[in-house]
Amino acid sequence: MWNSAEIESLNQNFQVMSKLNKIARKSTWVDMTAFVDVSFLILTFFMLATKFKPPEVIKIDNPKSVSSDKVDDKDVFKVSFDAEGRVFISFSSDKDGKEKAQLTAEVLSRQKGLALTPAEISTFIKFSVGGIGVPVEKLKSFLALSDAEYKTYKQPGIPVQDSSNNQLDSYINALLTGTGGRKPANVMLNGDNGTKYPYFKNVLAAFKKNGIFSFKLITSLEGVPSGTPLYKKQNTPAK
Amino acid sequence: MASIEESGGGGHKKGAGVKKQARKDARVDMTPMVDLGFLLITFFIFTTTINSPKAFKLNVPDDTAKDDEQTEAKASGAFTVLLSKDNNVFYYEGQLASDGSNFKSSNFKEIRAEILKKKANTPEKDLVVIIKPDETSVYKNVVDMLDEMQIADIKRYAVVDIFPGEVELIKATQGSTAPPAGK
């Protein structure tokens, strides 16, 4: 790489430099190396310890609970309801979730005579990650929206108000018909603090009607109050 | 990059020029790198989430089960909690007295002590907590109360529809004590 003449000239330069440095005025140069080290350490921490926020179409403020179980993100069927009582369904973005979203769309299209095209079904799969909350009869026009329009469109929510028109039941029924009765591994309910109880009851009713009795409620963690039976249980070593 | 230019340039210049060039040291200006580093940190802080949500397991009974298969709750071991608007909590032990004399008002802070008292005074196999949210209660109340069941380590509890008589009692209580008992 370097020939001997160049090395010679460099050596001379260094000698000149070392002599000069002794008399040169103090430099205002700050050594940033440590700063860079720290900043990249923090950067690495954030990259490893966090994950990206899912696209938020629905604003939901979860209640707190003492439960500390992790939320699975594989094969999820999630029903969300916000403070206004709008109900949304969503599927996880992994292979199982996409497959179930596709089956749901196909069966729903057949059962309700929506005649969804393959393109609309793939839009359904795409939108289902963020959440779908439209009545069955509006589904076709909803699936014509572009990605940008989807983000700004205020979805009315799936009607669950009365038992005669509980359309969440139709969606769940389509899902289970599509999979041949195979239930998603994780059925999750993602509710807002301010949702009125009747909406929650109707969501449960739609699930019960389709034979799903086991759920995971999405909550954020809070500490177990000390002195309570659960606290004692957790803090006594297992026999 | 800088060092190559230095040595190349140093050869051509003479006198003062040589000295000037030589004074430059091999340190690299890190400021843009720091800028970039912190820009990326800011980006990650804003776009990511640290506290991942937790799952709270809930199993509900099958309503369609035949009457004779339904578990009968022993009246003496029952503890009924009613949830209403503005985070109001009402409760009664056993069966509701016809005159409503054992119908008491409480709140989310105090109900835990009542549940624990009931738990201590009742044989474990008889104890069952019945949660009855009314139409005006919110999802948070229900989850909080289910959470209380976890905290108090109650094995048997159920979420049940409220009776019209109980709704009347709640209304009467809320009406009489105009500012809800928020002690």
Side-chain angles (χ1 to χ4, degrees):
Chain A
M1 243 172 107
W2 302 87
N3 60 40
S4 56
E6 274 178 32
I7 293 171
E8 188 65 31
S9 98
L10 269 179
N11 277 343
Q12 276 174 4
N13 271 350
F14 279 129
Q15 276 165 15
V16 172
M17 263 166 59
S18 58
K19 272 180 201 163
L20 280 172
N21 277 348
K22 275 173 199 158
I23 34 168
R25 56 176 159 68
K26 264 197 181 161
S27 160
T28 52
W29 189 286
V30 180
D31 188 3
M32 293 260 196
T33 322
F35 203 34
V36 174
D37 289 353
V38 172
S39 80
F40 274 87
L41 190 77
I42 301 173
L43 182 61
T44 319
F45 167 75
F46 274 102
M47 284 169 73
L48 296 179
T50 60
K51 57 180 181 192
F52 281 98
K53 274 181 197 159
E56 263 185 27
V57 192
I58 324 150
K59 179 105 189 63
I60 282 175
D61 190 11
N62 287 125
K64 288 193 168 78
S65 83
V66 294
S67 176
S68 56
D69 296 348
K70 268 180 77 179
V71 169
D72 262 321
D73 51 5
K74 294 268 181 300
D75 195 7
V76 175
F77 174 63
K78 187 162 78 180
V79 172
S80 310
F81 35 101
D82 70 359
E84 295 164 48
R86 296 186 297 155
V87 177
F88 302 83
I89 58 164
S90 52
F91 293 91
S92 54
S93 55
D94 65 329
K95 200 175 111 271
D96 287 313
K98 279 190 170 138
E99 183 202 330
K100 292 197 168 67
Q102 182 179 1
L103 291 169
T104 308
E106 282 168 6
V107 174
L108 205 59
S109 162
R110 205 166 61 230
Q111 284 178 342
K112 305 282 172 186
L114 299 174
L116 298 178
T117 62
E120 282 164 340
I121 286 174
S122 68
T123 315
F124 184 92
I125 298 169
K126 194 170 62 191
F127 287 177
S128 73
V129 176
I132 292 180
V134 287
V136 174
E137 62 270 15
K138 282 191 187 156
L139 193 59
K140 199 175 168 69
S141 60
F142 170 70
L143 292 177
L145 298 178
S146 71
D147 285 5
E149 283 169 334
Y150 167 72
K151 284 195 183 103
T152 51
Y153 179 71
K154 189 170 161 62
Q155 302 182 53
I158 300 168
V160 294
Q161 282 82 344
D162 57 308
S163 47
S164 60
N165 189 28
N166 193 333
Q167 292 194 3
L168 183 62
D169 175 41
S170 314
Y171 279 97
I172 298 169
N173 189 21
L175 166 67
L176 291 181
T177 312
T179 59
R182 197 158 40 89
K183 292 166 194 168
N186 295 296
V187 179
M188 296 197 178
L189 297 181
N190 184 18
D192 189 278
N193 276 331
T195 316
K196 287 266 186 288
Y197 173 69
Y199 290 104
F200 177 49
K201 195 175 84 179
N202 292 337
V203 167
L204 283 185
F207 276 110
K208 281 185 191 170
K209 207 171 158 190
N210 288 289
I212 296 179
F213 300 107
S214 181
F215 311 95
K216 286 173 182 166
L217 310 184
I218 296 181
T219 56
S220 53
L221 186 64
E222 77 181 345
V224 181
S226 59
T228 57
L230 181 67
Y231 182 83
K232 284 173 196 156
K233 202 164 116 186
Q234 283 179 349
N235 287 281
T236 37
K239 283 165 205 164
Chain B
M1 190 180 91
S3 64
I4 294 171
E5 274 177 13
E6 267 173 45
S7 62
H12 296 293
K13 300 204 170 168
K14 296 164 193 167
V18 173
K19 276 179 194 165
K20 236 184 204 169
Q21 284 294 323
R23 200 184 285 160
K24 263 197 183 166
D25 56 26
R27 272 198 271 190
V28 180
D29 186 359
M30 297 257 193
T31 321
M33 193 155 159
V34 177
D35 290 351
L36 186 72
F38 276 92
L39 190 79
L40 287 174
I41 291 174
T42 322
F43 170 74
F44 272 97
I45 289 177
F46 281 120
T47 54
T48 58
T49 161
I50 282 194
N51 54 343
S52 52
K54 303 291 178 202
F56 183 97
K57 287 200 189 75
L58 173 70
N59 292 302
V60 294
D62 188 349
D63 291 342
T64 55
K66 290 186 200 80
D67 273 356
D68 55 326
E69 286 169 8
Q70 299 228 352
T71 42
E72 201 59 40
K74 210 172 181 179
S76 64
F79 186 87
T80 306
V81 182
L82 303 136
L83 310 174
S84 187
K85 67 177 171 193
D86 302 328
N87 302 328
N88 280 351
V89 179
F90 303 89
Y91 68 94
Y92 59 85
E93 291 177 38
Q95 259 165 345
L96 184 61
S98 50
D99 57 351
S101 57
N102 61 350
F103 185 85
K104 291 175 194 132
S105 165
S106 180
N107 58 42
F108 273 94
K109 279 206 174 67
E110 289 159 15
I111 194 75
R112 182 179 299 157
E114 295 298 335
I115 293 171
L116 290 175
K117 205 166 82 189
K118 179 71 182 172
K119 195 191 175 196
N121 297 336
T122 316
E124 190 165 352
K125 66 175 176 48
D126 288 340
L127 179 66
V128 56
V129 177
I130 300 162
I131 303 166
K132 296 186 176 179
D134 79 355
E135 302 276 302
T136 54
S137 61
V138 293
Y139 179 64
K140 180 182 192 295
N141 301 146
V142 183
V143 175
D144 279 350
M145 202 38 76
L146 291 172
D147 206 32
E148 285 302 322
M149 298 299 109
Q150 300 282 319
I151 291 171
D153 197 21
I154 304 276
K155 297 285 183 319
R156 292 207 298 162
Y157 54 88
V159 181
V160 181
D161 284 342
I162 198 160
F163 296 137
E166 291 162 341
V167 179
E168 291 305 315
L169 265 174
I170 289 175
K171 273 192 188 139
T173 316
Q174 281 175 338
S176 61
T177 54
K183 17 168 195 177

